[in-house]
């Protein structure tokens, strides 16, 4: 009986391999039969001649929209309140002393949603006066662009200092405009960004002052108690967080940022 058991043990792995081979062959045969009945799509990209000028115009408009979408992040940063908001929140994190709390993803996400909240009236005007009429074929693309510039320019000019605007007018050798509509976005946008940086740094200074006082008080107390080896950060960080919570800091700061744009 032992020789028979030995032969069974030897041929058992071979039977397993035979089964696996049969399964693979059946699967390949079924896929080949199925592929003959299934028509696979083919994607082609090319240029074709047309006799209708509207086809060319639509294609150019699609390319223009794709170009605008590619630079949309730069527009969001430079032509909205995102710059001021993200800098103020970064100053707050540095003033508290928590280098990685809140994380960068939280700060950027909060800044984006605050930007959309602040810019909602401007976006509504652009949608009502430019996008919707253009989608309904009531105005041309050039008219839609002009209508979209008006509320956006008005928003930026409200937040821009006259001195910064005058600087870029002098750099471009342009005379003082009679109306805001005479100003080009090439002049308004850099002046607006410069003013936003200035405003953000002013707000950051006011944020730093109370936390700096807390650091000085705790350092003086530790020095008077002779606790030279204890890092002041270990005591000042919980104290600053407690003061920020008791003063309802997030409510006050976010409310002040939103009101500053209005």
């Amino acid at each position: 009986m032992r020789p028979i058991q030995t032969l069974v043990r030897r041929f058992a792995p071979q039977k397993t391999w035979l089964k696996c081979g049969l399964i693979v062959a059946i699967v390949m045969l079924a896929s080949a039969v199925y592929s003959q009945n299934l028509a696979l799509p083919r994607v082609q990209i090319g240029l074709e001649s047309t006799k209708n000028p509207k086809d060319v115009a639509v294609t150019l408009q699609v390319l223009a929209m794709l170009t605008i979408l590619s630079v949309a992040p730069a527009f969001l940063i430079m032509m909205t309140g995102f710059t001021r908001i993200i800098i103020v929140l970064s100053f707050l994190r540095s003033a508290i002393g928590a280098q990685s709390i809140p994380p960068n993803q939280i700060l950027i996400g909060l800044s984006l949603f605050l930007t959309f909240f602040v810019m909602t009236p401007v976006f509504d005007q652009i949608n009502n006066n430019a996008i919707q009429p253009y989608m309904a074929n009531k105005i041309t693309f050039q008219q839609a662009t002009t209508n979209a510039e008006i509320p956006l320019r008005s928003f930026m000019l409200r937040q821009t200092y006259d001195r910064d605007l005058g600087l870029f007018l002098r750099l471009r050798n342009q005379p003082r405009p009679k109306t805001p509509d005479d100003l080009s976005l090439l002049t308004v946008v850099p002046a607006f960004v410069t003013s936003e940086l200035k405003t953000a740094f002013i707000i950051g200074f006011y944020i730093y002052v109370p936390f700096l006082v807390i650091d000085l008080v705790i350092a003086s107390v530790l020095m008077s108690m002779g606790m030279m080896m204890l890092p002041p950060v270990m005591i000042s960080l919980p104290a600053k967080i407690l003061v920020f919570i008791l003063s309802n800091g997030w409510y006050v700061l976010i409310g002040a940022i939103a009101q500053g744009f209005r």
Side-chain angles (χ1 to χ4, degrees):
M1 296 296 293
R2 290 183 179 178
I4 296 175
Q5 294 178 356
T6 304
L7 291 174
V8 171
R9 291 177 181 176
R10 289 181 179 178
F11 283 101
Q14 296 180 4
K15 291 182 180 180
T16 304
W17 284 107
L18 289 174
K19 292 180 180 179
C20 293
L22 289 174
I23 293 173
V24 171
I26 292 171
V27 171
M28 293 178 64
L29 181 61
S31 61
V33 173
Y34 181 73
S35 62
Q36 292 180 358
N37 299 327
L38 180 63
L40 298 177
R42 182 176 61 180
V43 179
Q44 292 182 351
I45 299 176
L47 299 175
E48 297 179 357
S49 60
T50 180
K51 297 181 180 180
N52 190 2
K54 292 184 178 180
D55 296 337
V56 180
V58 172
T59 304
L60 294 178
Q61 291 175 4
V62 171
L63 292 176
M65 291 300 296
L66 292 176
T67 304
I68 293 174
L69 290 177
S70 64
V71 297
F75 290 163
L76 179 63
I77 293 174
M78 296 301 175
M79 303 176 69
T80 62
F82 180 82
T83 303
R84 181 194 304 186
I85 296 171
I86 190 62
I87 292 177
V88 169
L89 294 180
S90 300
F91 270 123
L92 173 65
R93 185 173 65 179
S94 300
I96 293 177
Q99 299 299 325
S100 59
I101 299 175
N104 292 330
Q105 293 84 352
I106 301 298
L107 291 183
I108 294 174
L110 179 59
S111 300
L112 286 174
F113 278 102
L114 287 177
T115 301
F116 290 136
F117 176 79
V118 170
M119 299 295 296
T120 296
V122 179
F123 291 157
D124 289 340
Q125 294 181 16
I126 294 175
N127 182 53
N128 296 330
N129 300 331
I131 298 177
Q132 294 300 328
Y134 176 72
M135 297 298 292
N137 294 325
K138 295 181 180 179
I139 58 177
T140 62
F141 183 76
Q142 291 77 11
Q143 292 175 346
T145 304
T146 303
N147 294 340
E149 288 181 2
I150 296 175
L152 194 59
R153 185 191 297 110
S154 177
F155 168 79
M156 289 189 291
L157 288 176
R158 288 199 304 269
Q159 312 299 328
T160 304
Y161 295 101
D162 294 338
R163 186 174 183 180
D164 296 333
L165 186 60
L167 171 64
F168 287 96
L169 287 174
R170 291 194 301 272
L171 291 176
R172 296 193 64 186
N173 296 323
Q174 289 184 347
R176 188 176 183 87
K178 298 180 180 179
T179 61
D181 295 335
D182 298 334
L183 290 170
S184 173
L185 288 180
L186 295 177
T187 304
V188 176
V189 172
F192 168 74
V193 175
T194 305
S195 300
E196 287 293 284
L197 291 174
K198 180 179 179 180
T199 304
F201 274 72
I202 293 174
I203 299 174
F205 172 77
Y206 287 114
I207 291 175
Y208 254 98
V209 169
F211 294 113
L212 180 61
V213 172
I214 294 175
D215 287 333
L216 292 175
V217 170
I218 291 177
S220 301
V221 171
L222 293 178
M223 289 286 291
S224 62
M225 296 176 63
M227 303 175 68
M228 303 286 187
M229 303 303 294
L230 181 63
V233 179
M234 296 182 61
I235 308 298
S236 63
L237 180 58
K240 289 187 285 189
I241 294 176
L242 180 62
V243 170
F244 189 73
I245 293 173
L246 293 178
S247 62
N248 204 0
W250 288 112
Y251 174 85
V252 175
L253 180 62
I254 293 177
I257 292 174
Q259 292 294 331
F261 287 100
R262 297 183 180 180

